[in-house]
Amino acid sequence: ANKLKNAKLVLLGDVGTGKSSIVLRFVKGQFVEFQESTIGAAFFAQTLSVNDETIKFEIWDTAGQERYHSLAPMYYRGAAAAIIVYDITNPATFTRAKKWIKELQAQGNSNTIMALAGNKADLLEARKVSSEEAQAYAQENGLFFMETSAKTSTNVNDVFYEIAKRLPQA
Ligand code: GTP
Ligand code: MG
């Protein structure tokens, strides 16, 4: 029988790293060059079938601007999964991602599945964060790591599939 499972998912990460673009790619299969900066947070829902289950992701796409930081706990509290996004061309965003991970480890639900996404992987010539460094950090902290591109769609669905596979049995 096909089981339906709801999963609250939050995206966190610095401004401009591509959180909204990843969601837009996953939910609508689209990409826009001039995505507007998110204000507060935006909500989306998308289902995904894995084996004999249908997962309904309830997605909170948060705003990366620092002035919205205090809102974040409303979105990550009780989340089944979190995708922490940085931009592979911008080391400061990797530093910010590590801070988010520390905050989640300290404040979040210890059962939250965490994914580290190095986005803008299409911009290889501008890379400033090596995949080895990010992979090592993810491994030490019990996250899984993928480099994604919302622009080309590389690994975007895969991040959600990997999360779906890791969700606890209902
Ligand atoms: P905030 O809402 O301000 O926190 O930003 P965000 O993390 O939601 O970033 P957003 O999705 O708005 O993307 C910022 C800019 O990066 C936009 O101009 C996107 O077109 C661009 N962008 C997003 N993902 C990619 C990607 O994978 N590759 C490239 N080349 N550009 C991307
Ligand atoms: Mg956004």
Side-chain angles (χ1 to χ4, degrees), residues 61-80:
D61 169 24
T62 66
Q65 291 179 47
E66 212 43 54
R67 66 179 130 137
Y68 297 114
H69 183 184
S70 62
L71 299 178
M74 289 201 305
Y75 303 109
Y76 65 64
R77 209 169 281 141

Side-chain angles (χ1 to χ4, degrees), residues 149-166:
S149 170
K151 184 169 185 174
T152 64
S153 87
T154 303
N155 276 347
V156 172
N157 285 350
D158 308 66
V159 171
F160 290 89
Y161 269 105
E162 284 301 319
I163 289 168
K165 283 196 278 179
R166 287 167 165 79

Side-chain angles (χ1 to χ4, degrees), residues 92-107:
T93 68
F94 184 58
T95 302
R96 188 70 189 85
K98 293 194 252 187
K99 282 197 195 147
W100 276 121
I101 292 162
K102 287 218 170 67
E103 178 171 337
L104 282 176
Q105 287 168 339
Q107 309 289 330

Side-chain angles (χ1 to χ4, degrees), residues 11-24 31-40 61-66 68 85 87 89 118-123 148-154 156:
L11 287 98
L12 298 164
D14 212 340
V15 62
T17 52
K19 298 176 296 299
S20 299
S21 299
I22 287 170
V23 174
L24 183 68
F31 177 78
V32 292
E33 292 284 348
F34 300 101
Q35 177 67 41
E36 280 178 38
S37 189
T38 305
I39 295 169
D61 169 24
T62 66
Q65 291 179 47
E66 212 43 54
Y68 297 114
V85 183
D87 170 352
T89 74
N119 191 43
K120 309 198 185 182
D122 57 289
L123 300 177
T148 57
S149 170
K151 184 169 185 174
T152 64
S153 87
T154 303
V156 172

